[in-house]
Amino acid sequence: MEKSEEEWQNQLTDLEYKILRQKGTERAFTGALLDNKKEGTYCCKACALPLFKSAHKFDSGSGWPSFWDIFHPKNIEAQEEYGWTGKQIEIHCPRCQSHLGHVFDDGPEPTGLRYCINSACLQFSEKK
């Protein structure tokens, strides 16, 4: 999926653009989907690719929506990056290359992973 930066800016809010396209983050405990307990699917806000199932969401205490597994292995791409906290694994959407958050190895079983995602990167589709 290819769009100009102007097209992305027109499609997304300022916060969504900052996070999805410029690798920003939202403040902890402020995201609209942090406490969402409804059943459904979490999709990429920029292109609607399914990313996470509500059954895999858990309260990590981190302040961001967290998931212990992904919707499908092809629906997330990971890349090492180095930030002010050292080495991290950034995750992004393979369809539109939007930044979503990071994955850590301190999650619950069975995967032991914690996908820490910005609410602004997600659109929620409730199961009907």
Side-chain angles (χ1 to χ4, degrees):
M1 171 178 285
E2 292 199 22
K3 289 186 180 188
S4 70
E5 288 309 304
E6 183 178 3
E7 289 173 306
W8 285 121
Q9 286 175 325
N10 289 335
Q11 176 184 332
L12 305 167
T13 68
D14 289 345
L15 178 62
E16 291 166 355
Y17 182 80
K18 178 184 173 194
I19 296 169
L20 289 158
R21 305 309 304 166
Q22 298 178 323
K23 297 186 178 188
T25 191
E26 62 197 8
R27 287 189 344 257
F29 300 101
T30 63
L33 295 171
L34 177 63
D35 296 319
N36 184 31
K37 306 248 189 282
K38 296 176 183 173
E39 210 176 313
T41 304
Y42 294 85
C43 301
C44 177
K45 183 73 173 197
C47 71
L49 183 71
L51 302 171
F52 303 98
K53 297 175 184 178
S54 60
H56 299 150
K57 189 171 187 265
F58 71 101
D59 183 2
S60 68
S62 68
W64 290 276
S66 297
F67 304 85
W68 56 265
D69 204 3
I70 56 181
F71 189 88
H72 188 277
K74 292 183 179 179
N75 292 24
I76 292 286
E77 289 182 343
Q79 178 178 348
E80 281 187 14
E81 66 178 11
Y82 293 87
W84 62 273
T85 59
K87 184 174 108 174
Q88 302 181 117
I89 306 295
E90 181 239 349
I91 59 169
H92 58 270
C93 175
R95 180 187 287 165
C96 66
Q97 300 302 304
S98 289
H99 170 79
L100 303 169
H102 295 87
V103 63
F104 303 94
D105 62 2
D106 60 359
E109 294 302 325
T111 65
L113 299 175
R114 173 175 54 100
Y115 291 87
C116 189
I117 310 300
N118 292 282
S119 281
C121 296
L122 300 170
Q123 62 184 12
F124 181 73
S125 177
E126 191 170 354
K127 187 175 183 180
K128 306 271 179 187

